[in-house]
């Protein structure tokens, strides 16, 4: 029971993050344009500009975590320190000040940047802490899978109750409704971060107590396997954005199944749950590299089944479930690779750079999501897509390319990166060597 307390305490940290992150991903643009009162161009520009700010804050937070040494550990203190600012900036981002258009735009920039920074403060440590919670490889896999399930639950909650909550709190006033809903999400997330802090304990110290002289020295601690992990994050989250963005277009316009929209959304979120629950058991029997290849094949098979069986409801439903299993398999395995990559830097480079690795993961994730969203928009525009209208054959073909064929290309790129991943064969050797170094450090004390 104590183990499950730690697992759930760690995992729900991502549920707290996703209560706000998923809402921002799904609702923030429409809030800014339809409720807050700034133009779509201004909102889009702001979100693009803030990606560059995120790059600096993510890297800075990673460096701070690597340089943190407290009785509570390296990453864990930031769950406590970041919880209250996260709730405050969530409230302020969805608060509409009584200012002119210029003043409101400044307010939007400042509050959104502060919220993204607060998210970074709690999320980067969440990504780095697993190797410090346990040295048992199977237990790490369970922790990662628990986190993925909780993240999925957070997204499902947001997609299910946000609009009803806005109506409940607003009673016809959307501004009041969004503010009430997001204030509640912020407070719940704050309480969750307190639980995560109380439920976890960093018991596995780094094998070195190095003082980082410069960013250049930190970069030397990154291995080739770390860059493979970064590329996997780039291509996976590009795949995620393509699928989640274009699936509704494909079913609405290419297949004419408007009445399926809610079902498609639910299947897109929940179809991956069985895979995330099974991953820890599968990872005991198969290498992460092999499981990644199987997940890629699952996604491609489901994608082609949707394409070939477009006139069969059964084929479409099965295809959606199979692609969901595949994409969440890729998702879970990518995150399960991260603790091994962190250990490999200690093993090969004698460098403790967990924070920097998590920071670069975040940068590649946000870069992939931002760039892919831009490319899809340009692609649909060039295809002649017109919202809420009957599409031309050219527009339909461009939507099909986005939903069916671009994901297959991205799957091929993920497979190519995975081909060069080699830490499965080194896992036992790394564990033994790092444990020997830790015992040597204790003997010297």
């Amino acid at each position: 029971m104590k183990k499950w307390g730690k697992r759930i305490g760690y995992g729900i940290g991502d549920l707290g993050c996703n209560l706000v992150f998923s809402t921002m991903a799904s609702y923030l643009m429409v809030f800014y344009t339809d409720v807050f009162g700034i133009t779509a161009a201004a909102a889009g520009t702001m979100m693009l500009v803030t990606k560059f700010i995120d790059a600096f804050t993510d890297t800075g937070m990673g460096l701070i975590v690597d340089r943190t040494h407290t009785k509570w550990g390296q990453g864990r203190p930031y769950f406590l320190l970041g919880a209250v600012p996260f709730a405050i900036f969530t409230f302020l981002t969805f608060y509409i000040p009584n200012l002119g258009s210029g003043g409101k735009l400044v307010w939007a920039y400042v509050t959104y940047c502060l919220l993204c920074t607060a998210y970074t403060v709690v999320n980067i440590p969440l990504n780095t802490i697993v190797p410090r919670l346990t040295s048992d490889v199977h237990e790490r896999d369970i922790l990662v899978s628990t986190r993925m399930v909780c993240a999925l639950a957070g997204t499902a909650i947001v997609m299910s109750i946000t609009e009803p909550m806005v109506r409940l709190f607003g009673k016809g006033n959307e501004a009041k409704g969004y503010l009430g809903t997001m204030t509640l999400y912020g407070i719940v997330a704050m309480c969750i971060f307190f639980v995560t802090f109380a439920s976890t304990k960093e018991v596995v110290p780094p094998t070195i107590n190095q003082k980082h002289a410069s960013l250049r020295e930190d970069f030397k601690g990154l291995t080739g396997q770390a860059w493979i992990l970064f590329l996997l994050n780039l291509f996976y989250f590009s795949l995620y954005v393509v699928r989640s963005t274009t699936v509704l277009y494909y079913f609405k316009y290419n297949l004419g199944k408007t009445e399926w929209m809610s079902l498609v959304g639910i299947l897109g979120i929940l179809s991956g749950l069985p895979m995330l629950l099974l991953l820890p058991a599968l990872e005991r029997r198969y290498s992460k590299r092999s499981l990644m290849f199987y997940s890629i094949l699952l996604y491609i098979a489901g994608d082609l089944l949707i394409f070939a069986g477009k006139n069969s409801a059964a084929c479409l439903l099965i295809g959606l479930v199979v692609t969901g299993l595949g994409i969440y398999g890729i998702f879970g395995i990518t995150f399960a690779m991260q603790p091994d990559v962190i250990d490999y830097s200690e093993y090969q480079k004698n460098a403790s750079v967990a924070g920097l690795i998590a920071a670069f993961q975040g940068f590649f994730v946000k870069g992939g999501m931002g760039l892919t969203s831009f490319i899809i928009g340009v692609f649909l525009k060039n295809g002649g897509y017109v919202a809420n209208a009957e599409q031309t054959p050219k527009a339909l073909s461009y939507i099909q390319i986005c939903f069916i064929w671009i994901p297959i290309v991205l799957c091929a790129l993920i497979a190519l990166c995975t081909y060069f991943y080699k830490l499965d064969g080194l896992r036992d050797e790394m564990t033994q060597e790092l444990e020997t170094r830790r015992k040597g450090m204790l003997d010297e004390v």
Side-chain angles (χ1 to χ4, degrees):
M1 200 63 191
K2 187 177 179 181
K3 277 189 176 182
W4 274 107
K6 179 179 71 174
R7 293 166 182 170
I8 294 172
Y10 169 73
I12 61 171
D14 221 4
L15 190 154
C17 288
N18 264 6
L19 283 178
V20 174
F21 181 81
S22 292
T23 307
M24 290 196 298
S26 301
Y27 294 98
L28 189 60
M29 178 66 82
V30 72
F31 169 77
Y32 276 141
T33 57
D34 295 7
V35 183
F36 192 86
I38 59 177
T39 67
T45 301
M46 182 192 73
M47 291 182 180
L48 180 61
V49 169
T50 54
K51 287 292 183 289
F52 292 100
I53 298 172
D54 275 349
F56 289 102
T57 57
D58 282 1
T59 304
M61 190 63 206
L63 295 172
I64 289 169
V65 170
D66 286 337
R67 288 161 172 76
T68 299
H69 300 284
T70 73
K71 64 180 181 180
W72 292 333
Q74 288 186 288
R76 188 167 160 253
Y78 296 104
F79 302 140
L80 198 61
L81 294 174
V84 174
F86 189 84
I88 291 172
F89 296 140
T90 298
F91 168 82
L92 292 176
T93 298
F94 286 84
Y95 174 77
I96 304 176
N98 187 22
L99 301 170
S101 58
K104 289 171 78 173
L105 185 60
V106 171
W107 178 272
Y109 264 90
V110 172
T111 55
Y112 182 64
C113 285
L114 289 172
L115 178 54
C116 288
T117 301
Y119 175 85
T120 295
V121 169
V122 293
N123 193 255
I124 293 292
L126 198 68
N127 286 337
T128 67
I129 200 174
V130 171
R132 304 291 165 244
L133 298 179
T134 178
S135 58
D136 182 272
V137 176
H138 180 58
E139 181 63 20
R140 288 179 177 182
D141 292 337
I142 294 175
L143 285 166
V144 170
S145 290
T146 304
R147 177 188 172 187
M148 297 300 101
V149 171
C150 290
L152 191 66
T155 301
I157 289 169
V158 166
M159 297 304 292
S160 301
I161 72 169
T162 297
E163 288 190 22
M165 292 285 285
V166 169
R167 290 195 296 270
L168 175 66
F169 282 115
K171 295 182 172 28
N173 184 331
E174 281 193 301
K176 184 179 177 182
Y178 272 106
L179 185 62
T181 301
M182 296 313 299
T183 300
L184 178 61
Y185 284 175
I187 292 171
V188 171
M190 177 184 68
C191 295
I192 285 173
F193 297 141
F194 290 149
V195 172
T196 299
F197 172 82
S199 303
T200 55
K201 186 176 181 181
E202 295 185 38
V203 296
V204 182
T207 59
I208 50 173
N209 290 317
Q210 64 188 56
K211 292 185 177 179
H212 297 263
S214 66
L215 180 59
R216 182 178 179 182
E217 290 299 316
D218 284 350
F219 270 99
K220 289 181 180 178
L222 297 178
T223 65
Q225 296 297 295
W227 290 102
I228 288 171
L229 179 68
F230 301 154
L231 289 174
L232 283 172
N233 276 272
L234 172 68
F235 295 134
Y236 165 73
F237 279 95
S238 295
L239 173 64
Y240 176 81
V241 168
V242 170
R243 181 181 190 262
S244 59
T245 302
T246 61
V247 63
L248 298 179
Y249 290 98
Y250 187 75
F251 273 77
K252 180 177 181 179
Y253 295 111
N254 292 58
L255 302 182
K257 296 188 179 296
T258 307
E259 71 279 6
W260 280 36
M261 293 300 98
S262 296
L263 178 62
V264 168
I266 292 170
L267 282 177
I269 294 170
L270 298 181
S271 59
L273 182 59
M275 177 63 80
L276 294 176
L277 293 173
L278 285 171
L279 268 182
L282 292 172
E283 285 166 340
R284 295 190 91 165
R285 298 189 60 185
Y286 305 101
S287 68
K288 293 182 177 71
R289 189 168 178 266
S290 297
L291 288 172
M292 182 69 89
F293 286 132
Y294 294 146
S295 298
I296 291 166
L297 289 175
L298 266 178
Y299 185 90
I300 292 174
D303 207 25
L304 294 177
L305 182 60
I306 291 172
F307 173 70
K310 60 184 73 174
N311 297 318
S312 166
C315 286
L316 292 173
L317 290 172
I318 294 170
L320 282 171
V321 171
V322 172
T323 55
L325 291 170
I327 198 168
Y328 280 102
I330 297 169
F331 179 42
I333 296 159
T334 299
F335 275 86
M337 288 175 173
Q338 188 207 41
D340 295 341
V341 171
I342 291 171
D343 278 354
Y344 189 60
S345 284
E346 286 193 38
Y347 169 79
Q348 188 188 58
K349 300 277 191 173
N350 202 36
S352 178
V353 289
L356 187 62
I357 288 171
F360 269 93
Q361 272 188 277
F363 175 74
F364 275 78
V365 165
K366 291 168 184 174
M369 294 177 78
L371 183 61
T372 304
S373 297
F374 174 76
I375 290 172
I376 290 172
V378 171
F379 206 80
L380 292 178
K381 181 180 179 182
N382 289 339
Y385 167 77
V386 179
N388 299 312
E390 185 175 348
Q391 305 301 321
T392 64
K394 182 181 179 182
L396 293 175
S397 69
Y398 273 55
I399 292 172
Q400 184 180 95
I401 290 169
C402 284
F403 179 64
I404 300 292
W405 305 115
I406 290 179
I408 290 178
V409 172
L410 289 168
C411 281
L413 292 171
I414 292 170
L416 180 63
C417 292
T418 304
Y419 177 80
F420 294 101
Y421 181 78
K422 64 179 184 180
L423 298 188
D424 290 316
L426 288 172
R427 182 62 266 177
D428 291 341
E429 183 181 331
M430 283 195 299
T431 300
Q432 185 176 352
E433 173 62 23
L434 292 176
E435 286 298 327
T436 300
R437 293 183 194 175
R438 289 187 186 101
K439 288 178 182 177
M441 289 175 62
L442 290 174
D443 290 341
E444 291 174 5
V445 175

